[in-house]
Amino acid sequence: MTTISNTERGAAKVMNRTDLTQRLVARLHKDEAVVGGIGHTNWDLWASGQRPQNFYMLGSMGLAAPIALGVAVAQPDRMVFALEGDGSLLMQVGALATIATVEPANLCVIVWDNEAFHITGGQKSLTATGADIVAMARGAGLTNSTWAADEAHFESLVDEALGGTTGPRLIAARIDMTKPAGTTDRDPVKIRLNFMSGIAPPDKEG
Amino acid sequence: MSRDDGAEPWHETVIRVLKENEVDLVTYIPDNVLRELIDALHADPYFTVICPAREEEAVAIVAGAYMAGRRGIVLMQTSGFATLPNALASLVVPFQIPVVMMISERGILGEFQIGQAIVCKTMRPVLQSIGIEHHTIEEHDHVPFVVDSMIRQAFATRSPAAIILSPLLTKRPRAGAAQ
Ligand SMILES: Cc1ncc(C[n+]2csc(CCOP(=O)(O)OP(=O)(O)O)c2C)c(N)n1
């Protein structure tokens, strides 16, 4: 695993977000929380099955990881995933340093890099011209940051995160420009209430 | 419940009221006026204190923590608030998340920088237009009641709230008090 987990961005396979989201969700088994970033990212999370432990964002570009950080700090015993597009992550890139500083062992940020702002018309994003999210994350202090080489490697990285107590991590996956498999039902209060009851601490009511 | 003999500095009152309301997560971007409060929060093991890169993150962290069962507050300066309309209008307000903000008001009563004065003028119109409850504290003896009741109302009604600290509170010399 050591060599493969040092995959360069250029060597990483271009995969599919719908497929990878389903692979992630299939491996969840302990009511892990998942925060889906704006647009396509949370649409594919929605399409992968509406787990009550999922939170779907309806705007607020780049805030999936900070929201997930708040959940992780409040519930250190629950594993928390943040899913974010490359354009969104770059808009709040300082959040990587915040996560590295707070160092929650139970937080994993997953970044879908399609080199584009897909939902707004497919305009090129900054990763198309060389910005390497894993290198930036490592530079921010998130040393456990890795490009997923292929689907099997992605799954093994998710498994490591699920079993892990070694601090926050970031998984970046290169993805293609396929449209997501569904569209989130945009009812913010319902989304919040479902999420709150899905992750309610045992001693508290949602 | 409160010790209104005028001896307690406002930041100590704030800390006491936060504890009374079980608000134990604090996120902030620094401001000089908030320095003593921030220092005291860092020194107090009751609080988890996070200083992120941007105010939007500070709001999102507290929003996430609320949904996971923990109460928080966000501290910032007026200019920090000016970076927040999108996060408030697309996350906090529509999802009805009680994010409590404490904003030290800069740009009035002796401001020396025109940019700060102009930024300050955007704050209340933004709060008003997205319907966020806000109140400005000018008097030292209003601190316990206003902070406590704003926090209680925010959590009871699942609504965000902005507690604005005027220079009349934070900068005006107080008779008989060690400032
Ligand atoms: C602050 C802000 N700026 C711009 C937009 C418009 N916008 C919505 S989604 C989006 C692109 C998101 O890109 P990315 O996160 O890479 O996801 P993708 O669409 O590629 O899946 C943009 C620019 C917005 N919602 N908020």
Side-chain angles (χ1 to χ4, degrees), chain A:
Chain A
M1 268 307 139
T2 341
T3 44
I4 201 166
S5 59
N6 286 326
T7 312
E8 298 278 325
R9 183 175 186 281
K13 182 180 169 190
V14 176
M15 296 175 273
N16 173 267
R17 184 185 44 234
T18 306
D19 174 54
L20 293 180
T21 305
Q22 284 169 358
R23 286 173 192 262
L24 164 71
V25 169
R27 309 188 92 70
L28 304 178
H29 56 284
K30 279 164 65 184
D31 290 348
E32 296 84 354
V34 185
V35 178
I38 186 172
H40 288 166
T41 302
N42 80 71
W43 295 7
D44 260 332
L45 179 63
W46 175 271
S48 73
Q50 287 121 53
R51 301 168 66 248
Q53 296 80 24
N54 293 351
F55 183 74
Y56 310 93
M57 288 168 60
L58 305 176
S60 331
M61 245 183 111
L63 293 184
I67 292 170
L69 174 60
V71 175
V73 166
Q75 293 193 16
D77 294 331
R78 185 188 305 275
M79 186 65 204
V80 184
F81 289 87
L83 311 182
E84 195 69 285
D86 59 288
S88 299
L89 187 92
L90 286 169
M91 190 170 274
Q92 294 287 348
V93 79
L96 297 173
T98 309
I99 292 167
T101 299
V102 177
E103 235 186 331
N106 57 328
L107 179 59
C108 176
V109 179
I110 297 181
V111 185
W112 309 130
D113 182 2
N114 55 8
E115 305 186 358
F117 301 99
H118 190 185
I119 201 169
T120 49
Q123 302 85 353
K124 278 191 173 156
S125 71
L126 297 168
T127 60
T129 42
D132 182 321
I133 282 162
V134 167
M136 292 173 82
R138 287 186 185 152
L142 273 178
T143 46
N144 202 338
S145 299
T146 314
W147 283 105
D150 55 23
E151 287 82 356
H153 186 219
F154 176 80
E155 290 184 330
S156 73
L157 292 169
V158 169
D159 287 344
E160 267 178 41
L162 288 170
T165 45
T166 57
R169 57 185 79 217
L170 180 141
I171 304 169
R174 295 182 67 188
I175 59 158
D176 61 27
M177 293 286 273
T178 313
K179 289 221 162 105
T183 311
T184 303
D185 179 30
R186 298 175 180 89
D187 184 338
V189 174
K190 197 168 151 194
I191 290 170
R192 174 175 67 78
L193 292 174
N194 283 343
F195 183 60
M196 287 182 72
S197 53
I199 64 162
D203 55 328
K204 284 193 186 175
E205 293 297 298

Side-chain angles (χ1 to χ4, degrees), chain B residues 4-143:
Chain B
D4 272 343
D5 55 7
E8 191 180 49
W10 67 264
H11 60 269
E12 284 179 18
T13 310
V14 169
I15 287 184
R16 185 164 52 74
V17 174
L18 291 178
K19 288 181 176 175
E20 283 165 7
N21 284 282
E22 296 177 352
V23 175
D24 65 356
L25 173 66
V26 181
T27 62
Y28 73 92
I29 298 292
D31 170 50
N32 206 29
V33 166
L34 298 170
R35 192 184 54 205
E36 282 168 301
L37 174 60
I38 290 166
D39 288 349
L41 288 164
H42 272 292
D44 189 331
Y46 178 81
F47 296 100
T48 300
V49 185
I50 299 174
C51 177
R54 281 178 68 79
E55 285 82 1
E56 284 185 283
E57 276 181 70
V59 163
I61 292 166
V62 164
Y66 169 75
M67 293 193 284
R70 192 162 173 183
R71 291 176 166 205
I73 188 168
V74 187
L75 314 180
M76 71 194 86
Q77 187 193 78
T78 339
S79 53
F81 180 80
T83 70
L84 286 179
N86 185 52
L88 296 174
S90 67
L91 175 67
V92 170
V93 175
F95 285 88
Q96 296 180 19
I97 302 175
V99 170
V100 179
M101 296 171 279
M102 181 168 277
I103 307 162
S104 69
E105 185 171 19
R106 196 176 153 186
I108 61 163
L109 298 172
E111 180 57 60
F112 48 86
Q113 191 150 272
I114 183 149
Q116 288 279 359
I118 298 167
V119 166
C120 183
K121 293 188 205 315
T122 68
M123 177 168 63
R124 288 179 184 81
V126 168
L127 287 164
Q128 220 98 44
S129 64
I130 51 179
I132 293 186
E133 195 71 27
H134 60 96
H135 190 89
T136 305
I137 309 179
E138 298 180 344
E139 297 292 336
H140 187 263
D141 57 1
H142 291 181
V143 175

